[in-house]
Amino acid sequence: MKPKHAPLAPIALACLLAAAGGAQAQQQQPSYKIAYIDPLSGPFANVGELMLTHTQYAIEEINAKGGVLGGTKLQLLQFDSKLSAQESQSALQAAIDQGAQAIVTGGSGSSVVSALVQSVARWNQRNPGKELIVLNHSSIDPEMTGKNCSFWHFQTEANTAMKMKALANYIKKTPDVKKVYLLNQDYAHGKQWASHGRQLVGLARPDVQFVGETLHPIGRVKDFSPYIANIKQSGADSVITGNWGQDMTLLLKAAGDAGYNLRYFNHSAGSVPGTVLAVSQAKLGQLTWVAEWHPGQADTPRADALAKAYKAKTGKDFLAPRIDFTPRLLAAAINKAGSTDTVKVARALEDMSYDSVVGPIRMRAEDHQLLLPQVVNTIAPVDGKSVKVGWEGTNYGFRTDAVYTGNELAQGSECKMVRP
């Protein structure tokens, strides 16, 4: 005799299969993949790790709030550029193979990032419907949004010319800067920093003497003493240097060991781990740099709150709002486009305005250069007035010297954008 409920068994089975199928479909909901390509080994690994943690934090926050398009999560893929254009090409291919639609980069130097952008442009031309975009938060060669601009590249950091203009405006009001030496890394951006320094500081202060210029290998100099000896012999009181990471900290150490009290003018050194510590240990020198924000800056409650939350979650210091809001800009563009289609997302990013933690910012459509505020500041001892917060376990922090809007620093561009 058959059980009374036997006819229900196929229905129950069907329901179970449907439920299982629904759960599987939910698990297999496609994510939007972002590839992080920057140095995670070698002399600038600490820079790459800092940038990675900032990027991860923002993506985790976006996902915690539902992701994009009402439920699509962002997935971060990690690749080590090894500070090499060739390694970055390999990383790019791996990212493509894994389904990435966006690249986040910037810490590998302008030469490497430029090569990456060119490779993406070639891939996109050959593979319509499978395009990628590149979001560059830290490589600031103006040619990347100038004559070498690309529809597929978006720069979320002020470029070299904008940063140097901010410094030149400050130097114009700093009469004790009289003799300047140009010491820079021997690659595209190092040369650009030197060129814009000579040009823009020369315009702001025609009385300034440029007393020497040297390029050195990037990431390979272990002792800067010979360079410091040459600078001292020139009689310079200031150095315009685009050095970052290890190249900046070792330069500071060599000058401190030589008892040479120099002024340094730099684009972003204070935002790299170890720089404040190096200044405090040298006990000599004034390092002035430019950023969209610095720790301890007055009247920045939203950035301060983000920095506090970041430290609580990661255990690390927050230094670069622009890296944090780079994936947030991307998420906003995806929602604005109503699609993850790369061409639609890129068009949504163009001329996008965004209310960031450092105030209103705008992506300039004609060259994909983000216009964001820049703060000229100097690493200096805590005095309870202009410097209230010590950094990196030292009694040195950041003193605000001047603040400029993105529009004040914006300059013309040679970009002739080719759009698909």
Side-chain angles (χ1 to χ4, degrees), residues 71-193:
T72 300
K73 298 299 178 71
L74 305 182
Q75 181 182 349
L76 187 64
L77 311 173
Q78 301 174 28
F79 300 93
D80 184 3
S81 73
K82 300 180 183 178
L83 211 70
S84 158
Q86 185 175 352
E87 290 288 345
S88 292
Q89 308 302 309
S90 299
L92 173 62
Q93 188 57 58
I96 290 169
D97 292 343
Q98 293 180 40
Q101 290 178 260
I103 307 293
V104 170
T105 187
S108 298
S110 298
S111 300
V112 175
V113 175
S114 292
L116 200 54
V117 172
Q118 290 166 16
S119 295
V120 166
R122 287 193 294 269
W123 165 267
N124 290 351
Q125 188 174 16
R126 294 194 303 264
N127 298 274
K130 297 181 180 179
E131 295 92 349
L132 299 91
I133 55 173
V134 179
L135 294 102
N136 164 24
H137 53 63
S138 296
S139 290
I140 56 177
D141 184 342
E143 292 191 357
M144 295 185 70
T145 50
K147 64 182 182 181
N148 294 332
C149 67
S150 168
F151 174 76
W152 309 108
H153 169 256
F154 292 85
Q155 182 146 317
T156 60
E157 165 70 302
N159 68 32
T160 300
M162 296 166 72
K163 286 178 173 285
M164 188 59 76
K165 185 176 179 180
L167 286 172
N169 290 345
Y170 173 69
I171 292 171
K172 189 174 184 177
K173 302 172 185 177
T174 312
D176 59 334
V177 176
K178 297 175 181 177
K179 294 184 178 182
V180 175
Y181 196 101
L182 302 160
L183 178 70
N184 290 280
Q185 295 156 319
D186 190 6
Y187 78 119
H189 178 253
K191 295 172 184 177
Q192 285 279 3
W193 190 247

Side-chain angles (χ1 to χ4, degrees), residues 17-48:
L17 289 172
Q24 188 177 16
Q26 189 174 16
Q27 289 172 0
Q28 291 177 351
Q29 182 180 7
S31 59
Y32 182 91
K33 294 181 180 180
I34 301 169
Y36 173 90
I37 303 177
D38 261 331
L40 296 173
S41 62
F44 299 108
N46 63 334
V47 179

Side-chain angles (χ1 to χ4, degrees), residues 176 179 228 231-232 235-239 252 254-264 279 282-287 379 396:
D176 59 334
K179 294 184 178 182
I228 288 295
I231 295 170
K232 195 167 187 178
D237 53 65
S238 303
V239 175
L252 291 165
D257 290 346
Y260 195 5
N261 190 20
L262 276 168
R263 297 195 69 135
Y264 306 87
V279 171
K283 294 184 173 59
L284 289 172
Q286 298 180 66
L287 173 53
I379 299 172
Y396 280 68

Side-chain angles (χ1 to χ4, degrees), residues 128 181 217 224 240 251 302 333 363:
Y181 196 101
F224 278 86
I240 288 175
L251 175 63
R302 293 175 65 191
M363 182 63 70

